[in-house]
Structures are given as C-alpha cells and as structure tokens.
Amino acid sequence: MGTTTNSSSPMVKAEQVHKNFGPVQVLRGIDLEVSPGEVCCVVGPSGSGKSTLLRCVNHLEKINAGRLWVDGELVGYRQRGDKLYEMREREVAAQRRDIGMVFQRFNLFPHMTATENVMEAPVQVKGVRRADARKRAEQLLERVGLADRMASYPSQLSGGQQQRVAIARALAMDPKLMLFDEPTSALDPELVGEVLDVMRALAEDGMTMIVVTHEMGFAREVGDTLVFMDDGMVVEAGDPREVLANPRQERTRAFLSKVL
Amino acid sequence: MSDSHDSLSKKPADEPGSGGGDVRERVPPEAIRAVPVRHWGRWIGVAVVFALLAALFQAFRGADINWDVVGEFLTYDTIIEGAGKTLWITLLSMLLGVVLGVILAIMRLSGNPVLSGVAWGYIWFFRGTPVLVQLFLWYNLSFVFETVNFGFYKDEMNDFMTPFLAALLGLGLNEAAYMAEIARAGIQSVDRGQTEAAHALGMNNGKTMRRIVLPQAMRVIIPPTGNEFINMLKTSSLVYAIQYTELFRAGNTISTRNLAVMEMLIVVTVWYLILTTVFSIGQYYLERYFARGNERVRPPTPLQRARARLTGPRRQRAGRGPAGGV
Ligand SMILES: Nc1ncnc2c1ncn2[C@@H]1O[C@H](COP(=O)(O)OP(=O)(O)OP(=O)(O)O)[C@@H](O)[C@H]1O
Ligand SMILES: [Mg+2]
C-alpha cells in the first residue's frame, strides 16, 4: 500500500473536467490522477462538487468539457480521429460494471434480502448462475461481517449494516475501482467505525478507491492522497498527513480549521 | 461512546423514567383498571341502523318478490355461465389493461419524445371517450372495413370481430389508459437513488425497470389496480349491449322469458357481490405480498390475527419476523 508508482498508467485521469447544470458551473476544470491501488480521499465544503465529480467518473453525469479516463478508456465517449462519439446505453453499462459505487444513503434494493441485493448484478448483468452468485454473495457478506444477517431485508438492518451490504454489493461485480460518496455521513456516530473498518481492509487488499469523506482520521491513516476541492476546483492535493498538518492554501486552512 | 452509555445506566434507579436501572428491586406497578370511555353515540347509531334494517325487511316482505325464483335461478346454468364469462372478460381485459398500461407509462416517462408523444396521444383518446362508445366502435368496425388483413391472417370482419373480441378490445384498451396513469404514479414514487444504484452496478434501463423499479412501484400500483379490477367487474356489464352474454345479459335474457325482472336483477346483484368480495380478499393478500421487505407496514393476515388473539399478547408481534408467513 501507499507507494504510488509513477510508471504505471493511472486508473483514473481527469483533464480540465467541466460540468454545469444549466447556468450553474459545478466543476470548473478538475485535474486529477489516481494510480492503481491508490486511495484518494476527497474533502471540501458542501456544494463544492465532490459528489458530482464521482458521478462523472462512472458517467451518471455527462461532463461538458475536458477529458476523463478510467483505466485508459474515455468515460462515456469513443474517440475516432479528433471526433467524439457518444456511447450507446449498452456500452456505458459495460463501463460501469467495473466501477463500484457506494452511496451516502446506501440505496439498497428494499424488496430484496441482503444476499439477493449482492447477487442481483452478477446474475442480471454478468449472467452468473444463481447458485454460484449466492455462494459468492455469502462469502462477501461474511467478509464484511454480516454472516448472520444474510436473509434480512434492508429495513431490518442498522445503517452501518446496510452500508456494509452496499459495499458487498459493489464488490460482487469485481470492480477495479471503488467510488465512495460520504459512505458514513448518514450513520450514527457509533456505527461509523464498522464501515470504515471494512473500507480500510479493502484498501489493504489493494483496491483503488476514491473516497469523498469528512472523516479526516480515515484520510490521514488510510489515504495515499488527499484532494481538497472548493467551488468546483481542486485547490490543493498531496500526501494527507502533510496537507492536514500544514495546508499551503488559505482556503484549505480555513476549511480544515472548521472540521478538525 | 460506550462510556457515556455506562454513565447513563448508573443513574439512580428511583429516578422516574430512567430505563435500564436496577430492575430487581422494583415491584411492577399494579395494572391500570380505569373505567373505559362510554361511546353512547355508537349505541344510538346501532339502534338506528337496526330500526332502518327492520323497516327495509318489512317493506321487502310485503313487496311482490318471488324469493323462490331468486333461489332457483341463483344456481341456474346460464347464470353461472354468465358469471364465469363476466369473470373471464374482466380478467382478460385487466390483463390487457395492466400490461399495456405499464408499457404506456414507461413510454410516457422515457426520454424519447416519439414514445412519450404516442403514449400521450393514446391516453388522450381513450380517456376522453366513453367506454360504451368505444365498445360500439369496435363492434361495428365491419361497417367501414369489410375484411381484416394482417398479411398472415385474412378474414371477414364480421366473423373476426366477435362480441368477445370487441368486448376485450373495448374494455382492455380503455383500461390501459387509466392503468398508464396509475403505473406512472407508481414508477415515479420509487426513489431515484434506486435507479442510480442499479445503473452504477452496470444494469441497463430495461433490467433496472423490470428488476428494481417496477417491483417497488407495485406497492403503490396494486391498491388502485384492485379498485380498477372491481370497477371492471361491474363495468363489464356494459358489454351486454354488444351481445356478449355475460352475467347481466344472462339475467336479462331469462327475465324476458319468465318476466321475473326484479327477481333476476336480485340474482345478478348477488353474483356481482360474490365476485367483488372474492376479489377484495385476493387484493388484500396481493398487497401483503408486495409489501415484503417493508415488514413495518405489513399487516398480519386475518388468520394470523385470530391466532394471535387466541394465544394472547405474547404472540402479537409474530407477524413481523422475516419469515412473516406469506
Ligand atoms: N442534478 C442537479 N441539478 C442542478 N444542480 C445540481 C445537481 N446536482 C448537483 N447540483 C449542484 O451542484 C453543486 C455541487 O453539488 P455536489 O452534490 O457535487 O456537492 P458536494 O460537494 O457533494 O456537496 P455535499 O458535501 O453537500 O454532498 C451544488 O451547488 C448543487 O446544488
Ligand atoms: Mg455530496
């Protein structure tokens, strides 16, 4: 963990990414590089565009300008010559398969048990046989510490348990990149730890992760890089321990003094 | 965090309302035996209702109704056959209405302007015209088209457009327009996060709709669909006008022969009540099924409730477990 080699090609690369909703400029030229195996933590004030950036990475939002690559492939577009072609729905779906996403509000499927939630995408998208998918789902749920809650519906689980099911659900697709959008923000304080533990274990296994979070302790301990965003731009990026200890930019300092 | 919990439970036990104290030393308080509120209004209501029922009963006893005829024809072959046909045309029309309605709702909500425009036009036409007129339009199609020709199938329109087919098309296509609005409300009631989660897992729009959105929309769609079903049972009596021999027409045909008009109407009424009652019970269980995963709003079945009453208060929460007994 930790050592990010410059030689390997980046897992995620953003070049001057712009995104606006109507007249509102939400991302205003994001440059970002995340290497394979890297844990990149993104912090910043509310409304700075952190969620929007994550959603652009798996094409839940279309970017308006700039370029965005995941594992060397343009996200949502095909380039021929100097012309860009929008991808068809099927191609976009195929790209998203390899990118796991965990949401602030879990978004588990409420009409399915924990196991069924985890099995759903492998069976429906990859065509895995149900029996195999079930076995794999049970292993994953065990891995996130939910061996005894497999038959429970989301409404019967605590927030922390639901979020761990959501992580298992994303892992079931064997993603090469995991996106976390404030995975612990909707949790009671005593439940935050159990979710962070799962994420820490995942990082130790070498998963490439982009984590939007307000948990500075997690960023310091687990993060390889810390990106501070404000007003749709990357204000400062670097080693988390360094940035947190002596931020170079005034805006970073102001933000950190409020949250630390 | 756990420290603060400990300090909480160390509060003195005699403090009122403090949970988790030293329970062993407490004697449970005496159960409350208060005089319940008397609902005088209800008793007066019951008396009034009984008085009215008695008056009604008296009036009908004096009326010129031959109850023997009612009893005799209640299980008469053609009446039962008619009831069966009412049930059949209702089921098929609703099936057509639900399937087409859901498709129309999805078209209406799709980003494709052609699809949503077509759906809008369909709903505009079929909701804007009386179903009786639509039934006659289908039935009389042979006035303007003498033959049908689908390429693979050719026939005289008169032979093709039977009363049954005209009834099915008239009722079903009209129903689809209403079901489309119901399904649209249901689909829109599902949190957008569900679609995003499914898309993020690599599911395409079709799979997301079928596997994730529609099953959740069902909870909103089923109750009004049950109403539509019961409405359809009754509306289907209109097809007597286009010669389809369902329950109402069966009763009518007999009464033109035996002249027991009122008696036959009572027979038909009883049958409609039987059909709607059976459907109401089915609807209850269907709603329960689609509330799965939402145990907190899921009511126990009457059977479970009766069992809970017999075995006492201990069992009252039995219906909440994951194995809620579907
Ligand atoms: N679909 C949308 N339509 C219009 N505006 C949007 C949309 N999504 C986000 N925005 C706007 O974009 C800006 C950035 O939103 P975003 O959710 O990315 O912020 P964030 O950094 O994740 O904030 P938070 O910490 O509160 O989650 C906000 O001003 C928001 O109002
Ligand atoms: Mg956000």
Side-chain angles (χ1 to χ4, degrees):
Chain A
M1 258 296 52
T3 49
T4 54
T5 47
N6 287 342
S7 57
S8 64
S9 60
M11 180 60 79
V12 179
K13 186 171 172 185
E15 256 181 32
Q16 282 302 301
V17 167
H18 283 72
K19 170 72 193 171
N20 47 279
F21 292 107
V24 188
Q25 289 271 337
V26 177
L27 299 181
R28 308 192 298 156
I30 300 279
D31 291 310
L32 185 73
E33 254 191 59
V34 181
S35 312
E38 181 180 329
V39 177
C40 172
C41 293
V42 181
V43 301
S46 183
S48 56
K50 307 180 299 285
S51 301
T52 306
L53 176 62
L54 279 196
R55 294 161 56 80
C56 287
V57 171
N58 71 353
H59 209 56
L60 286 176
E61 305 284 0
K62 273 195 189 116
I63 63 175
N64 299 108
R67 293 284 189 275
L68 188 57
W69 293 267
V70 171
D71 204 15
E73 270 186 66
L74 267 184
V75 174
Y77 300 93
R78 241 172 309 112
Q79 187 154 20
R80 262 197 237 122
D82 52 358
K83 250 200 171 152
L84 281 189
Y85 296 85
E86 249 181 59
M87 278 187 177
R88 301 197 159 276
E89 189 209 344
R90 187 147 32 94
E91 299 169 287
V92 174
Q95 274 190 336
R96 288 191 185 126
R97 261 184 236 182
D98 299 332
I99 307 173
M101 185 152 187
V102 175
F103 301 85
Q104 182 174 355
R105 282 171 48 243
F106 326 134
N107 292 350
L108 288 181
F109 306 136
H111 55 304
M112 300 180 183
T113 64
T115 310
E116 287 165 353
N117 262 278
V118 180
M119 290 166 61
E120 182 66 11
V123 171
Q124 295 298 326
V125 178
K126 283 190 173 168
V128 177
R129 280 182 32 228
R130 285 194 74 83
D132 298 339
R134 177 174 295 275
K135 211 179 290 163
R136 179 82 206 292
E138 286 167 359
Q139 284 166 1
L140 283 166
L141 286 170
E142 230 161 86
R143 190 166 144 201
V144 297
L146 290 172
D148 52 339
R149 306 314 302 265
M150 295 187 195
S152 303
Y153 285 96
S155 65
Q156 299 165 330
L157 297 173
S158 75
Q161 291 169 334
Q162 289 188 54
Q163 195 60 297
R164 285 184 282 153
V165 174
I167 294 174
R169 179 176 71 174
L171 289 177
M173 292 298 284
D174 297 311
K176 52 193 180 195
L177 168 68
M178 285 281 285
L179 310 173
F180 293 86
D181 190 0
E182 303 195 30
T184 58
S185 296
L187 298 180
D188 292 337
E190 71 267 29
L191 301 179
V192 168
E194 62 190 53
V195 172
L196 292 183
D197 285 344
V198 169
M199 290 167 61
R200 186 174 293 124
L202 205 54
E204 275 158 18
D205 285 348
M207 177 63 76
T208 315
M209 296 161 54
I210 303 182
V211 185
V212 173
T213 185
H214 291 301
E215 299 290 331
M216 296 303 162
F218 178 85
R220 190 182 294 121
E221 288 164 37
V222 184
D224 298 305
T225 46
L226 183 78
V227 172
F228 172 67
M229 277 179 68
D230 193 9
D231 205 13
M233 287 189 287
V234 174
V235 175
E236 189 166 352
D239 183 272
R241 286 149 290 270
E242 206 131 293
V243 176
L244 289 174
N246 15 303
R248 268 170 293 152
Q249 302 291 329
E250 183 51 41
R251 275 197 279 178
T252 320
R253 219 169 295 151
F255 173 74
L256 290 178
S257 71
K258 270 184 239 152
V259 296
L260 284 181
Chain B
M1 205 56 229
S2 59
D3 286 41
S4 65
H5 270 304
D6 284 342
S7 65
L8 256 184
S9 57
K10 272 175 204 145
K11 272 187 189 166
D14 54 7
E15 192 175 306
S18 78
D22 203 344
V23 185
R24 271 165 298 163
E25 291 183 8
R26 287 229 208 125
V27 182
E30 203 183 316
I32 293 175
R33 279 177 213 282
V35 179
V37 176
R38 304 280 184 212
H39 298 282
W40 298 114
R42 288 185 197 170
W43 290 107
I44 296 170
V46 168
V48 170
V49 169
F50 267 108
L52 287 176
L53 278 178
L56 201 65
F57 183 73
Q58 197 58 35
F60 267 85
R61 226 170 43 147
D64 186 13
I65 295 175
N66 189 344
W67 290 103
D68 291 342
V69 173
V70 173
E72 179 192 338
F73 280 94
L74 211 48
T75 52
Y76 199 67
D77 279 353
T78 45
I79 287 291
I80 291 183
E81 207 174 294
K85 280 189 173 171
T86 287
L87 192 61
W88 184 231
I89 196 73
T90 300
L91 280 170
L92 288 182
S93 306
M94 278 309 288
L95 188 69
L96 179 61
V98 168
V99 171
L100 191 58
V102 169
I103 292 171
L104 283 167
I106 293 171
M107 285 167 65
R108 191 95 168 77
L109 291 173
S110 82
N112 184 331
V114 178
L115 291 182
S116 79
V118 168
W120 184 89
Y122 182 99
I123 294 167
W124 171 78
F125 179 80
F126 283 93
R127 269 211 319 192
T129 49
V131 67
L132 188 57
V133 174
Q134 289 173 33
L135 284 167
F136 275 108
L137 279 176
W138 287 112
Y139 190 56
N140 293 315
L141 220 50
S142 62
F143 283 126
V144 285
F145 302 108
E146 279 189 9
T147 56
V148 279
N149 188 349
F150 292 125
F152 59 91
Y153 177 86
K154 256 162 113 170
D155 202 351
E156 294 287 312
M157 180 61 87
N158 253 333
D159 299 332
F160 175 72
M161 191 56 74
T162 57
F164 169 77
L165 188 62
L168 178 61
L169 290 175
L171 294 176
L173 297 187
N174 181 69
E175 185 58 30
Y178 288 91
M179 281 310 303
E181 293 295 280
I182 291 171
R184 185 164 70 116
I187 290 169
Q188 284 177 326
S189 77
V190 178
D191 183 24
R192 268 197 55 79
Q194 293 290 310
T195 308
E196 290 194 345
H199 282 170
L201 285 166
M203 293 170 79
N204 60 23
N205 286 332
K207 285 223 164 93
T208 302
M209 185 54 76
R210 252 198 340 273
R211 299 284 309 171
I212 307 300
V213 177
L214 279 182
Q216 294 180 59
M218 280 305 177
R219 214 151 48 83
V220 174
I221 293 176
I222 295 272
T225 303
N227 285 341
E228 291 293 307
F229 220 122
I230 284 167
N231 253 332
M232 180 65 89
L233 271 171
K234 299 179 294 175
T235 308
S236 68
S237 61
L238 287 180
V239 305
Y240 98 101
I242 56 166
Q243 321 298 322
Y244 186 65
T245 316
E246 40 64 68
L247 180 54
F248 183 50
R249 191 179 176 84
N252 253 348
T253 311
I254 296 172
S255 65
T256 53
R257 266 192 280 115
N258 68 3
L259 302 180
V261 175
M262 202 58 181
E263 284 80 357
M264 292 320 294
L265 284 175
I266 291 173
V267 165
V268 166
T269 303
V270 168
W271 269 106
Y272 276 119
L273 276 174
I274 291 173
L275 291 176
T276 50
T277 306
V278 168
F279 265 109
S280 304
I281 295 169
Q283 180 186 7
Y284 177 86
Y285 281 92
L286 206 63
E287 280 175 29
R288 247 182 71 78
Y289 174 76
F290 279 103
R292 75 193 188 283
N294 206 332
E295 308 295 326
R296 274 162 218 184
V297 302
R298 193 173 176 183
T301 64
L303 215 76
Q304 286 171 336
R305 222 178 308 154
R307 212 181 306 146
R309 224 172 269 158
L310 286 177
T311 50
R314 268 178 306 118
R315 291 282 302 271
Q316 258 172 18
R317 293 156 61 97
R320 264 190 55 180
V326 184

